[in-house]
Amino acid sequence: MTPGIAWTTMEDQPPLGGFSHGTAGIAFSLLQLASATGQERFREAARAALAFDRSLFIPELANWADLRVFPSRERGAEPVDDTSPTTIRPPMVAWCHGAPGIGLGRLGALSALDDTDMRGDIDAALAATIGNGFALNHSLCHGALGNVELLLTAAGVLDRPEDHRALQRATAEIVSSIEVNGPVTGVPLGVETPGFMVGLSGIGYELLRLAAPDRVPSALLLAPPSRHSRG
């Protein structure tokens, strides 16, 4: 790619950025692999993936472009490619696509690669998520509880007062919303479903994590069980 490298991860879609289907998640995994093996080639591939991912940042939207191409709602119409700078649709603010997942991936890899670009991405992701990440459903994949994981991880990794305050505000907002409306899943119309990424089990899991982050690991970063949870 120009710049960097990327992968085709979804059929009939261009190479994507973001965590779930794109270069942010792949770069995170490559940096973990580099740390585990000591092989520099994985770190260099991660740097190239991050270069492509950063090329998708749209300053005026303070978020990263979602390059997915969706078919027109009109029967028989050709797919609509609205990824050009003049027609870009508002990016998602979610773990799967957009600032929360990208920031989370950068935080998760900070021990393997800590530089001004990584720190700048984290701050941009936090700002976008705090501003637009919680008036949503409650799911992990593309809802408020997936987004709050960015704030929770930032509070733990960076330990800055402003991150702790943002986490407290977002947690209170989410809990209040659940108390008033009940848990809202991430499927169409918020239909009740038991699944993890878009359903009730994931909502319950992240609430447990907010209550005991030292005992409940981050599923969205594929974290292993903590030593506290093994006892």
Side-chain angles (χ1 to χ4, degrees):
M1 307 298 291
T2 305
I5 59 175
W7 293 259
T8 299
T9 60
M10 299 179 70
E11 186 176 359
D12 299 325
Q13 296 291 345
L16 303 174
F19 194 92
S20 181
H21 302 118
T23 48
I26 294 171
F28 165 77
S29 294
L30 286 169
L31 286 170
Q32 303 306 302
L33 188 57
S35 295
T37 64
Q39 295 193 34
E40 191 61 24
R41 63 192 179 103
F42 298 128
R43 188 180 310 277
E44 291 307 310
R47 287 183 181 275
L50 289 170
F52 173 75
D53 207 56
R54 290 188 179 112
S55 74
L56 304 181
F57 187 73
I58 308 171
E60 58 268 29
L61 298 179
N63 202 344
W64 286 258
D66 182 351
L67 300 184
R68 289 175 297 169
V69 178
F70 293 98
S72 170
R73 292 180 182 272
E74 296 181 12
R75 183 173 298 176
E78 291 295 320
V80 176
D81 181 356
D82 54 0
T83 60
S84 71
T86 58
T87 61
I88 193 76
R89 63 181 174 275
M92 290 183 69
V93 182
W95 170 80
C96 53
H97 294 279
I102 291 170
L104 187 60
R106 305 292 202 265
L107 278 167
L110 202 58
S111 60
L113 179 62
D114 188 348
D115 58 24
T116 55
D117 287 334
M118 294 286 277
R119 297 274 177 166
D121 290 345
I122 290 167
D123 286 340
L126 283 166
T129 304
I130 291 168
N132 298 289
F134 299 105
L136 305 166
N137 66 77
H138 301 120
S139 74
L140 289 182
C141 182
H142 47 268
L145 280 165
N147 292 349
V148 81
E149 178 63 38
L150 171 64
L151 276 59
L152 179 60
T153 301
V157 172
L158 305 177
D159 198 23
R160 302 180 301 194
E162 59 267 31
D163 297 321
H164 288 281
R165 290 193 295 268
L167 173 62
Q168 291 173 353
R169 290 193 300 268
T171 301
E173 181 178 342
I174 293 168
V175 171
S176 176
S177 173
I178 292 174
E179 289 175 343
V180 172
N181 303 307
V184 179
T185 68
V187 301
L189 304 179
V191 174
E192 187 172 296
T193 182
F196 190 78
M197 291 306 299
V198 298
L200 296 175
S201 59
I203 291 171
Y205 185 93
E206 191 66 19
L207 290 171
L208 286 173
R209 177 154 163 74
L210 286 168
D214 292 336
R215 295 179 61 85
V216 181
S218 173
L220 296 184
L221 279 176
L222 306 178
S226 67
R227 62 183 182 86
H228 300 290
S229 65
R230 294 171 187 162

